[in-house]
Amino acid sequence: MELHQEIKTLAAQLGAILTDKCLWITTAESCTGGGVSYALTDTPGSSRYLGRAFVTYSNEAKHELINVATSTLEQFGAVSEQTVKEMAFGAINVANADVAIAISGIAGPGGATPDKPVGFVWFCIQIAGKQFTFKQIFSGDRAQVRLQAIEFALKKTIEKINL
């Protein structure tokens, strides 16, 4: 995946903030396929703030790796606020991190439903026990949706960590 300069800049900025605050981050990614952790590790010195990241593309991976309840996945689906909240919580606990970014969405071209179109993405940022959730609908093809989701996640994490 070729990262845009804006994503590289945001990832470096977040890395500097994490380093300054002595915080560890983890990610739990579905539709972005590890793109946020890839962006974070593109910056030299990222081992000071990123120890583990999870690509939980399937429901089984969400359940087995980061303890998302099967009942949550069955009742609300993988692309839901409830699921990303459990993804963030589980990732923080498994990785023993301070900050988590969780993302689940529909990058397309398939997989859409009437209430969850292509480009529909849920995010959860967890910092110091607080969870912030966001939903967005991005436009464009699969690659564009994924890149927009990565950029959005980095921006929102920087915003929330600086509160």
Side-chain angles (χ1 to χ4, degrees):
M1 175 183 307
E2 181 60 35
L3 297 176
H4 294 60
Q5 187 56 48
E6 176 69 10
I7 290 173
K8 290 181 179 191
T9 301
L10 289 166
Q13 182 182 355
L14 179 55
I17 294 166
L18 293 164
T19 301
D20 289 346
K21 293 180 180 272
C22 297
L23 297 174
W24 287 89
I25 192 167
T26 187
T27 63
E29 301 179 67
S30 187
C31 65
T32 50
V36 174
S37 60
Y38 179 83
L40 288 169
T41 59
D42 195 51
T43 302
S46 57
S47 61
R48 290 184 299 235
Y49 50 82
L50 178 68
R52 291 186 188 163
F54 305 91
V55 176
T56 55
Y57 207 70
S58 69
N59 285 353
E60 293 78 18
K62 288 174 183 65
H63 175 70
E64 293 169 8
L65 297 176
I66 54 173
N67 304 310
V68 175
T70 303
S71 59
T72 301
L73 294 163
E74 289 171 354
Q75 184 176 355
F76 301 104
V79 182
S80 66
E81 181 177 28
Q82 295 83 353
T83 294
V84 292
K85 288 173 87 170
E86 287 190 29
M87 288 170 68
F89 183 79
I92 271 193
N93 288 318
V94 172
N96 194 27
D98 305 296
V99 179
I101 299 170
I103 305 171
S104 189
I106 301 165
T113 64
D115 59 330
K116 296 179 183 177
V118 168
F120 184 85
V121 183
W122 270 104
F123 301 84
C124 182
I125 312 297
Q126 183 169 326
I127 302 167
K130 294 181 184 172
Q131 290 189 320
F132 306 93
T133 58
F134 311 93
K135 68 177 175 181
Q136 292 290 304
I137 299 177
F138 301 110
S139 60
D141 65 18
R142 182 178 181 80
Q144 291 168 324
V145 167
R146 289 163 43 107
L147 287 168
Q148 289 171 82
I150 293 165
E151 184 175 337
F152 181 88
L154 292 168
K155 283 181 179 176
K156 284 298 182 186
T157 305
I158 290 166
E159 176 187 307
K160 295 303 179 186
I161 209 167
N162 281 327
L163 285 180

